[in-house]
Amino acid sequence: MTTAEESTADYVRLLDPAVRPNPYPLFARLREAGPFRIGTAPVVVVTSHADCTAVLRDPRVSVDRSLAKLQLGSMPIYDAAKTTAAQAKPSFLFLDPPDHTRLRRLVSKAFTPRVVQRLEPRITEIVDDILDKRSAAGTFDAVTEFAYPLPVTVICELLGVPLADEAQLSHWSSLLARTLDPTSRQATEFRADPAQVQRAGTELSTYFERLTEHRRATPGPDLLSELIAAEDAGDMLTHEELISTCALLLVAGHETTVNLIANATLALLRRPDELAALRANPERAQAIVEETLRFDPPVQLIPRIAADDLTVGDIDIRRGDLVVMLIAAAQRDPAVFTDPDRFDPSRDNRHLAFGLGAHFCLGAPLARLEARVALTRFAHRVEAPRLITDPPVYREHVNLRGPAHMPLEFSAILPR
Ligand code: HEM
């Protein structure tokens, strides 16, 4: 039986980069101990599938961080966003209705499954172009030279952001993704530099200010131009909301699907039989994507703030408490998934990788499509791929977790 002190220590250990290649034994301990309160802090950690599902559906929890009792720099908390300029004007990820509903509606039509499906030929072309570029060499990095360029190209094209600015955007986006990590007073060495993060927020906002000015004069067939038209049309969204929506979509498009593609590629490289089966039958790709979302989720935890008192298990949650849902633990809950540590694409998959309820991931259809096409083309075209280093080196991000590099060897890239 784990004590409350041990569970708090386990939670803090999640921040240690040494845990990043395989945090799942630690998540298993946390799940068995949960739900639990972090010491006397206003932070409750929720870990089982049933409890995470119940909290995500509970109308008494909010995404509005201004309701949190915790102040900056206190106990293990989810606070860094408070340090960013973006926090002054939160994106709709951090807004409750009615603002959330109004802003989400403005962009949601660009992300419906039907609209996204039309992108399949373009997505296939991007993946094939990426693989064509690798054909001369006998090695490539499956993160930086395969998983990363696809989602980034797609989100830049959708938003209307010049791909030439990519290096700069990726730098800001990676820093801003750190604002989604838990932090801890006991482990400040694992914290991103708050001043650097704040600067990234300000610079990204300034970047979108300039791009908006330019696009206002020369509109294009992109989401930014549509949002500018909505702003001009009257009371649909303010200028600050336009900027924070663009920043949200840019960061979401940069920091998540890359991990899904990389984690799925890693799962296949570690299981040559699965890779061979996918090559023989491309229809398997969707199930492999879903199982990767469960087994090795690109978003490992979801935070909420209690807007009212509630009870989870035997823990009383009070108004203003931060509630951290460890979905990476919940998705290996043996109460829901048989043999949960086994990668099994054929299982009935009730994962929580895209969240649940009003904030369910807007980009889920796009992420699924991109990952399916990337895996299918990889299996079809890359002959005899082999990981050079296993486990790969991971990025430092705790929540949006994924490999930084994944060098692999191959014997040939087949023609399209
Ligand atoms: C595998 C890839 C992805 C994963 C695992 C993922 C995961 C998630 C999760 C868990 C949430 C809910 C957060 C919460 O409830 O607090 C979310 C929200 C969101 N995601 Fe994704 N995401 C992915 C890709 C994308 C992409 C490609 C986009 C679009 C460019 C996107 C845009 C968004 C937006 C706008 C929200 C906020 C929705 C709202 O607040 O109503 N995501 N995502």
Side-chain angles (χ1 to χ4, degrees):
M1 178 84 184
T2 324
T3 64
E5 290 72 31
E6 285 168 339
S7 297
T8 297
D10 279 346
Y11 181 71
V12 173
R13 273 183 59 217
L14 273 182
L15 309 189
D16 186 343
V19 168
R20 216 68 78 243
N22 183 14
Y24 297 105
L26 192 54
F27 276 125
R29 280 167 59 95
L30 287 161
R31 186 183 55 247
E32 280 152 27
F36 59 87
R37 183 174 288 280
I38 300 287
T40 54
V43 182
V44 171
V45 181
V46 175
T47 60
S48 74
H49 192 279
D51 287 345
C52 288
T53 305
V55 174
L56 284 170
R57 292 214 165 109
D58 197 310
R60 291 168 294 180
V61 300
S62 163
V63 292
D64 180 352
R65 291 171 183 209
S66 68
L67 300 178
K69 273 187 262 169
L70 272 170
Q71 294 306 311
L72 260 185
S74 34
M75 287 288 292
I77 73 164
Y78 219 105
D79 67 356
K82 287 186 179 170
T83 67
T84 67
Q87 181 63 14
K89 300 285 170 204
S91 70
F92 63 84
L93 177 61
F94 302 116
L95 293 174
D96 292 326
D99 287 339
H100 170 258
T101 324
R102 172 175 55 85
L103 292 170
R104 180 170 168 130
R105 194 178 293 144
L106 281 174
V107 288
S108 60
K109 29 180 207 314
F111 292 95
T112 62
R114 210 165 49 87
V115 170
V116 163
Q117 193 49 48
R118 284 191 224 132
L119 299 175
E120 182 160 353
R122 175 66 188 133
I123 289 173
T124 308
E125 187 184 24
I126 297 170
V127 178
D128 278 331
D129 286 350
I130 290 169
L131 289 174
D132 285 348
K133 282 196 203 129
R134 310 295 158 232
S135 52
T139 65
F140 68 83
D141 185 326
V143 178
T144 58
E145 298 180 300
F146 177 64
Y148 186 77
L150 171 65
V152 161
T153 307
V154 170
I155 197 64
C156 287
E157 288 185 1
L158 267 176
L159 260 177
V161 169
L163 207 52
D165 298 337
E166 177 40 36
Q168 184 60 75
L169 294 168
S170 126
H171 173 70
W172 292 327
S173 165
S174 174
L175 278 167
L176 290 171
R178 296 295 310 269
T179 66
L180 299 172
D181 283 348
T183 56
S184 156
R185 204 165 45 187
Q186 291 103 311
T188 47
E189 72 272 28
F190 303 138
R191 204 186 177 119
D193 173 5
Q196 227 191 345
V197 172
Q198 183 160 13
R199 219 168 25 249
T202 311
E203 287 174 354
L204 183 60
S205 296
T206 309
Y207 173 86
F208 274 118
E209 290 287 354
R210 292 214 185 99
L211 190 62
T212 306
E213 255 171 59
H214 177 71
R215 202 46 51 79
R216 203 183 289 283
T218 48
D222 51 60
L223 210 47
L224 177 57
S225 301
E226 273 182 41
L227 288 173
I228 293 170
E231 185 197 343
D232 290 347
D235 55 3
M236 281 193 278
L237 88 165
T238 66
H239 186 63
E240 289 73 21
E241 289 170 340
L242 183 153
I243 301 294
S244 68
T245 300
C246 288
L248 169 64
L249 294 174
L250 186 100
V251 174
H254 267 70
E255 304 297 327
T256 52
T257 316
V258 54
N259 296 337
L260 174 58
I261 297 172
N263 294 348
T265 307
L266 180 62
L268 293 174
L269 291 169
R270 284 175 171 167
R271 293 169 187 78
D273 290 355
E274 278 299 343
L275 183 57
L278 171 62
R279 185 174 241 195
N281 179 11
E283 300 280 301
R284 292 175 70 92
Q286 198 59 62
I288 293 168
V289 170
E290 295 309 309
E291 179 63 344
T292 305
L293 285 162
R294 180 196 74 84
F295 184 80
D296 207 5
V299 175
Q300 303 243 298
L301 45 100
I302 300 179
R304 287 291 183 265
I305 293 88
D308 208 341
D309 295 349
L310 63 146
T311 304
V312 175
D314 54 359
I315 302 290
D316 290 327
I317 298 178
R318 290 181 290 274
R319 186 183 154 80
D321 281 350
L322 178 74
V323 186
V324 180
M325 277 156 289
L326 301 184
I327 55 170
Q331 298 193 145
R332 292 189 184 209
D333 185 341
V336 175
F337 302 102
T338 314
D339 200 359
D341 293 324
R342 205 163 80 86
F343 185 84
D344 176 9
S346 68
R347 69 170 73 242
D348 175 22
N349 213 330
R350 286 184 287 140
H351 65 70
L352 303 169
F354 291 121
L356 269 184
H359 292 272
F360 183 83
C361 177
L362 184 77
L366 180 60
R368 284 180 159 132
L369 176 63
E370 288 178 3
R372 176 167 63 75
V373 172
L375 294 187
T376 311
R377 301 309 289 160
F378 181 89
H380 181 69
R381 295 191 60 198
V382 185
E383 281 273 284
R386 198 184 64 80
L387 272 177
I388 296 174
T389 327
D390 192 7
V393 175
Y394 275 74
R395 303 176 79 199
E396 53 197 358
H397 300 67
V398 180
N399 189 4
L400 307 191
R401 170 184 165 274
H405 296 285
M406 225 160 62
L408 56 85
E409 292 174 335
F410 59 94
S411 61
I413 304 253
L414 301 179
R416 298 180 181 208

